[in-house]
Amino acid sequence: MILLSRFQEIMNEVFLLLGSNEGDRLNWLQKAIELLCKNVGKVITSTSVYETAAWGLQEQQSFYNLVLKMETIQDVLQLLSSIQNIEHICGRQRTQKWGARTLDIDILYFNCDIIEKETLKVPHPFLAERRFTLVPLVAIAAEKVHPALHKTNEQLLIECSDQLPVTRIDVVLKT
């Protein structure tokens, strides 16, 4: 049996989706990565940036999206609080559901946990329905299994009925 000293901390694996469709989209994503590194944990890997059509409320500018795999010592509610604070720092206004925003950060996975709270559901409840999430996610975690659906991200992408365009652009932001 391995015992952890009280000074050793458990690292949580988290996958985050970052998106922006307002203002200088690349700058907002870069700022978010910097703040996540400073306030949340270590980026293990990052996807390229993808340009994606707006989902839900389609009459708006396209999004730039990317997925990060991170390690954090924060629990899921601390992580949610950190993310919402970062969104606020970056000018996020919550005025219209699925409306334009400077920055949106979604928790896609937290370890292999299934979390059902009033303020948070993980895995993200729309993960399997959105190509703009699945395409970059498959780029770094194709074989990761969705803990509730018991399918890999790659299987979810193959089965996804969303046909909105998702195009990788040749931009990799600094992590």
Side-chain angles (χ1 to χ4, degrees):
M1 172 190 275
I2 298 174
L3 297 175
L4 296 176
S5 79
R6 64 184 193 155
F7 300 107
Q8 291 177 307
E9 300 180 287
I10 304 295
M11 292 304 248
N12 295 302
E13 177 186 77
V14 61
F15 286 85
L16 303 176
L17 174 71
L18 283 61
S20 176
N21 77 331
E22 192 172 71
D24 186 344
R25 298 172 290 174
L26 290 175
N27 182 59
W28 290 124
L29 294 176
Q30 185 64 65
K31 175 92 171 158
I33 292 169
E34 291 166 9
L35 289 168
L36 286 164
C37 288
K38 182 178 179 183
N39 298 294
V40 171
K42 178 181 176 185
V43 173
I44 303 303
T45 191
S46 172
T47 67
S48 296
V49 176
Y50 290 78
E51 185 165 17
T52 65
W55 189 92
L57 186 62
Q58 296 176 3
E59 298 302 317
Q60 57 184 314
Q61 183 173 349
S62 63
F63 276 81
Y64 281 169
N65 291 108
L66 63 90
V67 171
L68 298 177
K69 177 183 178 183
M70 297 186 72
E71 286 183 343
T72 183
I73 60 171
Q74 295 181 354
D75 66 36
V76 74
L77 292 179
Q78 291 169 325
L79 176 62
L80 178 62
S81 178
S82 294
I83 285 170
Q84 289 175 338
N85 187 48
I86 291 167
E87 289 175 335
H88 178 74
I89 289 168
C90 292
R92 168 79 187 261
Q93 302 289 318
R94 294 181 185 274
T95 56
Q96 182 179 27
K97 187 174 184 174
W98 294 321
R101 60 208 88 146
T102 54
L103 181 64
D104 185 34
I105 305 174
D106 291 333
I107 302 171
L108 302 178
Y109 292 118
F110 189 87
N111 298 318
C112 293
D113 299 353
I114 299 173
I115 300 160
E116 296 277 338
K117 298 193 178 288
E118 188 176 321
T119 58
L120 179 65
K121 293 187 181 0
V122 178
H124 192 284
F126 296 115
L127 186 152
E129 300 171 22
R130 297 174 168 174
R131 283 178 48 78
F132 72 85
T133 300
L134 289 167
V135 169
L137 187 58
V138 165
I140 61 171
E143 297 305 313
K144 181 168 179 65
V145 175
H146 189 292
L149 301 176
H150 308 290
K151 295 180 180 182
T152 66
N153 291 322
E154 188 169 42
Q155 289 170 305
L156 294 175
L157 178 58
I158 290 167
E159 296 171 5
C160 183
S161 62
D162 176 10
Q163 295 301 309
L164 292 175
V166 177
T167 306
R168 189 172 69 85
I169 61 175
D170 289 326
V171 174
V172 177
L173 298 175
K174 184 179 174 211
T175 58

